[in-house]
Amino acid sequence: MSSLRFEALKNINSTPTEVATTTKVTAIFAENVFTHAVARQFLADEAFKSLQASVKNGHKIDRSMANQIANGIRAWAESKGVTHYTHWFQPLTGTTAEKHDSFFTLKSDGTPIETFDGDALIQQEPDASSFPNGGLRATFEARGYTAWDPSSPAFIMDIGTGKTLCIPTIFISYTGESLDYKAPLVKALEAINRAAVDVCNYFDKNVTRVTPTLGWEQEYFVVDEGLFNARPDLLLCGRTVFGHSPAKGQQLEDHYFGSIPERIYAFMRDFEQESYRLGIPLRTRHNEVAPAQFECAPIFEEVNIAVDHNTLLMDVMTRVAARHGLRVLLHEKPFAGINGSGKHNNWSMATDTGVNLLAPGKTPKTNLMFLTFFVNTIKAVHDYADLLRASIASASNDFRLGANEAPPAIISVFVGQYLAKVLQDVKERVGDNFDEQDESMLKMDIHRSIPELLQDNTDRNRTSPFAFTGNKFEFRAVGSTANCANPMTVLNTIMAETLKQFKKDVDGLIEKGEKKEIAILHTIREYIVASEKVCFEGDGYSEEWEKEAERRGLANVKTTPTALDAMVTEKSLKLFQDNNIYTHAELEARHEIELEKYIKKVQIESRLMVDLASTHIIPAAVRYQNTLINTVRGLKDLGLESTGTCTRNLLEKISNHINEATKAVEAMVEARKKCNNITDSREKAIAYCTEVKEAHFDNLRYHADKLEQLVDDREWSLPKYRELLFVR
Ligand SMILES: NC(=O)CC[C@H](N)C(=O)O
């Protein structure tokens, strides 16, 4: 008898864990963050000004000030009972990394002291060789260092037993190659700032800084910890590789926006509190579509901070869940047959004059500025759709994209009916003889459409991977486990490049004697025409769209190994090099890392499937098979052979599935052996995708899941879907 599953079911404690909540969020918000106000209190004037200047301009901290700043940060941290500090960074493993050091040290004469000097604040040296580097190590110096990024404030992590001061850093090799998600992101944000300011200055000379903003939405599942631990697949892969659909799944749609189950509600309040302390401005919480699926989302922030807050939140949620005997599943598709989880990235750009560049303006002039940025975004997505696709590619997101619940792998833009009409108007009316009078009439007409658009911001298309939602674009294809930094690096870089080109094109027309606004409208028109084919207003889940997209020549790359090709095309190498984001070597290294990650993930899942099938599923089926054999024999002995037909049929079915599952296991092991002999990473990743995953995963699962339906429940050792999804 399988004990772990039944033990786990018996031990489920549905009583919510008590959470001490404060009445007002403002009372605790950012209390564990070295904010502007805290800096003012703990730093002398000179040090404070130096820190503020670095935050504002993204410059390195003045070394002479570093000691003073470090001292101030330590004094603050110690006042909160902190004894250790760490450089907190985001290597390409996909998780966050930290190595704690104590403030405590011994002077040369043995006197114990507590210290944190400027050097320790600014730079540390973790062992770069143990993090993914995609071959950069072979050609360059192996060492790497973390460098403080003052634009993201220091914070104290005090969940669990210890309290640690965390200094957000970027991670780079000694020769300057970036080894993390943050370094390129910071560069991309600088690139878009420069390009966008130049374009803004056509409309408003006062704009001196443009900061992209991000509001992410985090979807996740929650399951009981005991049940989780009894599922080796959840434990090792974050998703179930087997499991028959329960009789009730999400068909009644009774979970979405329903009342939040008490035990989960306690967990939510708890992780929200911890998030508030860390300055993560969470606003919303609700049940998502699938049973046991939920979502939370903060107020939007500057991209850099929003990215840190999202990675931090994933860590906080995981830690807090343990207090409630729960486990958070961040995987894009933990359960087959029901919805998966996304991390929709709501993106826009804000000026230092307080304008959201993707919000329709109040005057015809500001509307033209809005239209400029709006159309440039569409053009950027059109020109670099392959890179956006690559930026969200992962083994886990492959299970979600195109599964009729999340956007397909075809990248398209949804603009909504009013803006579609505006684009059509510009296209039709800006012709060769377009003069000043036409221009002012068109601007007025566009202006008149805007109030309708504002009312229309609920006109959302949830089937589009990249949808305009009234004052921002929602990049919906991003997966729930992803670090937003990668898609944000790509999006902001392609936007920077497109805006730079736009400026060149407009300036070119102005030099030829065209009036500025007419030159802008001509260029906008040209961009609308050039990128039309990427706009799609219909149902992105439908088969017709797949066909239509193919007719339009839009790519539909369904799996990661080939989606990643876009990273290293001539066009991509040039784009990232020109904008100072990645060198060729860095991009090639990243490509290699992503391929390796893919191979390893599929390999781990495949091994796990073999392990579970061989040691859990087949043995349970064989035990039950033996029981049935004895029954048939017994009936025969009693001369009741004819009444044994049904049992015999059942026996045959079970034997057949055992047989097929065993064959599938053997075939998968053989396929893996062949793949492991391939040396080229791309070829190996493709082989793992087609020869291991596509050829065997579903087939083995089919027989295993059939057995789950036939075998005596008491023999089944793995918690079933109905238990994982409904028992809490
Ligand atoms: N209601 C929703 O927005 C569902 C989104 C879906 N879970 C996704 O993966 O993107």
Side-chain angles (χ1 to χ4, degrees):
M1 242 266 281
S2 47
S3 57
L4 199 52
R5 171 176 163 226
F6 290 101
E7 207 45 35
L9 282 169
K10 207 172 80 199
N11 289 338
I12 283 178
N13 178 1
S14 299
T15 320
T17 306
E18 261 190 50
V19 183
T21 42
T22 38
T23 44
K24 273 194 169 179
V25 172
T26 46
I28 55 165
F29 190 72
E31 70 176 20
N32 284 342
V33 184
F34 195 71
T35 58
H36 181 91
V38 175
R40 191 93 207 77
Q41 196 188 333
F42 280 85
L43 299 181
D45 265 2
E46 202 186 9
F48 175 75
K49 279 190 194 132
S50 156
L51 175 62
Q52 290 314 307
S54 298
V55 172
K56 196 157 166 251
N57 311 318
H59 293 157
K60 277 193 177 161
I61 282 284
D62 181 358
R63 257 202 133 81
S64 61
M65 283 294 129
N67 272 334
Q68 282 194 42
I69 299 174
N71 266 330
I73 298 181
R74 176 170 64 90
W76 167 70
E78 282 179 347
S79 73
K80 292 181 156 287
V82 173
T83 52
H84 285 66
Y85 67 92
T86 180
H87 273 199
W88 182 80
F89 59 106
Q90 301 174 37
L92 298 168
T93 49
T95 51
T96 53
E98 48 194 83
K99 174 184 159 264
H100 300 190
D101 279 292
S102 173
F103 290 139
F104 160 78
T105 190
L106 292 177
K107 292 268 250 198
S108 54
D109 64 356
T111 318
I113 56 157
E114 319 253 85
T115 177
F116 181 46
D117 62 25
D119 285 344
L121 168 67
I122 289 184
Q123 194 166 315
Q124 294 272 296
E125 214 178 298
D127 182 4
S129 59
S130 305
F131 290 105
N133 57 55
L136 280 174
R137 228 185 115 209
T139 41
F140 300 99
E141 171 76 68
R143 288 181 303 163
Y145 65 93
T146 50
W148 183 29
D149 165 19
S151 61
S152 182
F155 58 90
I156 295 168
M157 182 58 112
D158 77 343
I159 303 171
T161 44
K163 285 190 183 187
T164 312
L165 168 68
C166 299
I167 312 287
T169 54
I170 55 168
F171 182 36
I172 39 192
S173 74
Y174 250 86
T175 37
E177 282 80 21
S178 52
L179 296 172
D180 71 348
Y181 283 115
K182 285 299 295 294
L185 176 69
V186 173
K187 292 179 187 169
L189 296 175
E190 200 35 50
I192 192 173
N193 166 45
R194 281 194 302 268
V197 166
D198 280 349
V199 172
C200 280
N201 288 159
Y202 282 137
F203 307 95
D204 182 356
K205 289 276 178 234
N206 296 320
V207 174
T208 64
R209 192 153 190 96
V210 170
T211 313
T213 58
L214 166 65
W216 40 262
E217 299 163 24
Q218 180 71 54
E219 293 183 328
Y220 59 95
F221 281 81
V222 182
V223 296
D224 178 81
E225 189 169 38
L227 295 175
F228 172 94
N229 286 333
R231 289 282 316 210
D233 45 0
L234 282 181
L235 197 64
L236 298 190
C237 308
R239 81 173 183 104
T240 53
V241 294
F242 296 117
H244 195 274
S245 297
K248 179 180 186 286
Q250 66 188 46
Q251 50 292 52
L252 297 179
E253 290 170 342
D254 49 355
H255 181 67
Y256 192 46
F257 281 13
S259 71
I260 301 167
E262 269 306 315
R263 197 172 161 207
I264 310 295
Y265 187 37
F267 158 62
M268 283 179 174
R269 291 197 327 267
D270 202 359
F271 85 69
E272 283 168 0
Q273 297 249 348
E274 296 295 359
S275 302
Y276 292 143
R277 291 199 173 96
L278 289 162
I280 305 170
L282 290 178
R283 263 313 278 290
T284 64
R285 53 163 109 105
H286 64 84
N287 289 1
E288 248 308 321
V289 177
Q293 192 189 24
F294 307 90
E295 177 179 314
C296 67
I299 300 167
F300 69 89
E301 299 177 277
E302 289 181 14
V303 168
N304 190 22
I305 308 284
V307 165
D308 280 3
H309 280 168
N310 180 250
T311 41
L312 195 51
L313 174 92
M314 293 195 281
D315 188 19
V316 168
M317 286 170 90
T318 307
R319 290 175 195 238
V320 173
R323 291 180 190 162
H324 297 257
L326 296 167
R327 285 296 186 125
V328 174
L329 308 179
L330 293 163
H331 194 286
E332 282 80 357
K333 194 77 182 172
F335 303 99
I338 57 170
N339 270 23
S341 300
K343 173 147 49 206
H344 307 164
N345 278 209
N346 293 284
W347 168 86
S348 189
M349 293 151 285
T351 68
D352 54 354
T353 53
V355 175
N356 172 1
L357 292 170
L358 289 176
K362 292 194 177 72
T363 64
K365 188 171 167 187
T366 47
N367 272 331
L368 189 57
M369 178 154 91
F370 155 70
L371 197 61
T372 298
F373 281 89
F374 180 71
V375 169
N376 269 281
T377 312
I378 299 173
K379 178 79 163 40
V381 176
H382 170 271
D383 291 359
Y384 297 99
D386 59 341
L387 273 178
L388 282 176
R389 169 69 185 93
S391 79
I392 50 141
S394 67
S396 48
N397 211 14
D398 278 2
F399 288 105
R400 165 180 170 259
L401 295 180
N404 264 341
E405 54 178 282
I410 310 160
I411 299 291
S412 66
V413 184
F414 169 83
V415 299
Q417 55 171 322
Y418 292 106
L419 280 165
K421 191 181 165 299
V422 169
L423 299 187
Q424 192 61 26
D425 266 4
V426 175
K427 186 179 150 188
E428 281 164 12
R429 288 162 60 174
V430 184
D432 285 345
N433 301 320
F434 189 71
D435 59 21
E436 281 183 39
Q437 200 186 347
D438 299 331
E439 180 229 318
S440 58
M441 275 169 63
L442 175 60
K443 264 199 323 211
M444 280 317 294
D445 285 348
I446 294 173
H447 188 57
R448 265 195 287 274
S449 315
I450 299 299
E452 289 163 355
L453 166 70
L454 290 175
Q455 282 162 19
D456 180 45
N457 68 15
T458 49
D459 172 23
R460 292 173 66 171
N461 185 325
R462 291 174 198 277
T463 67
S464 172
F466 201 89
F468 186 68
T469 56
N471 56 9
K472 60 194 181 304
F473 276 99
E474 184 179 10
F475 190 12
R476 293 178 64 86
V478 185
S480 51
T481 38
N483 183 320
C484 307
N486 194 29
M488 281 296 119
T489 300
V490 170
L491 181 55
N492 287 294
T493 305
I494 63 177
M495 191 62 183
E497 179 66 19
T498 308
L499 289 168
K500 273 179 5 195
Q501 187 58 45
F502 181 81
K503 169 107 171 78
K504 270 191 217 148
D505 292 343
V506 172
D507 285 352
L509 292 178
I510 294 174
E511 271 161 35
K512 282 192 197 145
E514 202 65 272
K515 186 182 159 239
K516 183 175 76 185
E517 298 205 336
I518 295 187
I520 290 173
L521 275 165
H522 270 297
T523 312
I524 288 181
R525 179 185 188 276
E526 194 196 307
Y527 282 25
I528 294 172
V529 174
S531 49
E532 239 162 13
K533 74 169 192 290
V534 84
C535 294
F536 178 63
E537 302 296 290
D539 178 3
Y541 296 170
S542 66
E543 261 177 52
E544 294 80 68
W545 170 229
E546 241 187 271
K547 288 186 199 134
E548 165 68 16
E550 198 181 335
R551 270 196 297 278
R552 292 190 192 184
L554 297 178
N556 184 6
V557 190
K558 292 188 176 165
T559 55
T560 293
T562 40
L564 295 175
D565 286 349
M567 292 174 76
V568 284
T569 58
E570 283 298 317
K571 192 174 161 192
S572 165
L573 293 172
K574 183 167 175 354
L575 167 82
F576 286 110
Q577 174 112 323
D578 286 357
N579 286 286
N580 219 356
I581 316 291
Y582 294 122
T583 60
H584 288 198
E586 284 174 302
L587 256 189
E588 269 148 21
R590 260 158 218 260
H591 182 227
E592 185 72 19
I593 289 169
E594 290 305 323
L595 287 170
E596 274 175 23
K597 239 196 264 178
Y598 181 86
I599 294 166
K600 286 177 188 157
K601 291 234 161 123
V602 179
Q603 191 177 52
I604 291 170
E605 290 198 352
S606 161
R607 282 187 183 153
L608 197 75
M609 287 184 90
V610 168
D611 180 1
L612 286 185
S614 313
T615 63
H616 282 253
I617 291 163
I618 296 173
V622 168
R623 281 196 301 274
Y624 188 49
Q625 181 180 246
N626 284 341
T627 310
L628 296 176
I629 290 172
N630 286 336
T631 309
V632 173
R633 264 209 203 109
L635 289 171
K636 194 177 166 199
D637 288 351
L638 295 172
L640 297 168
E641 209 169 355
S642 60
T643 57
T645 323
C646 291
T647 320
R648 206 178 256 278
N649 285 346
L650 179 57
L651 187 54
E652 232 171 80
K653 269 195 207 164
I654 290 180
S655 303
N656 183 42
H657 288 304
I658 293 176
N659 204 23
E660 291 302 318
T662 312
K663 280 201 283 185
V665 161
E666 282 162 10
M668 182 137 79
V669 173
E670 279 314 304
R672 233 169 40 218
K673 279 188 197 154
K674 280 197 194 132
C675 290
N676 290 343
N677 287 330
I678 303 173
T679 45
D680 177 73
S681 300
R682 180 176 180 273
E683 225 177 279
K684 190 168 174 177
I686 294 175
Y688 256 101
C689 176
T690 54
E691 307 305 317
V692 177
K693 184 185 153 201
E694 287 171 6
H696 302 293
F697 276 25
D698 283 353
N699 179 38
L700 174 55
R701 181 170 186 148
Y702 172 79
H703 295 290
D705 291 356
K706 281 282 172 206
L707 287 171
E708 183 185 328
Q709 273 189 305
L710 298 172
V711 169
D712 181 354
D713 187 62
R714 286 174 306 176
E715 294 291 349
W716 207 256
S717 60
L718 300 171
K720 298 189 168 183
Y721 268 29
R722 61 168 186 259
E723 294 152 359
L724 290 164
L725 293 169
F726 293 98
V727 181
R728 49 184 159 247

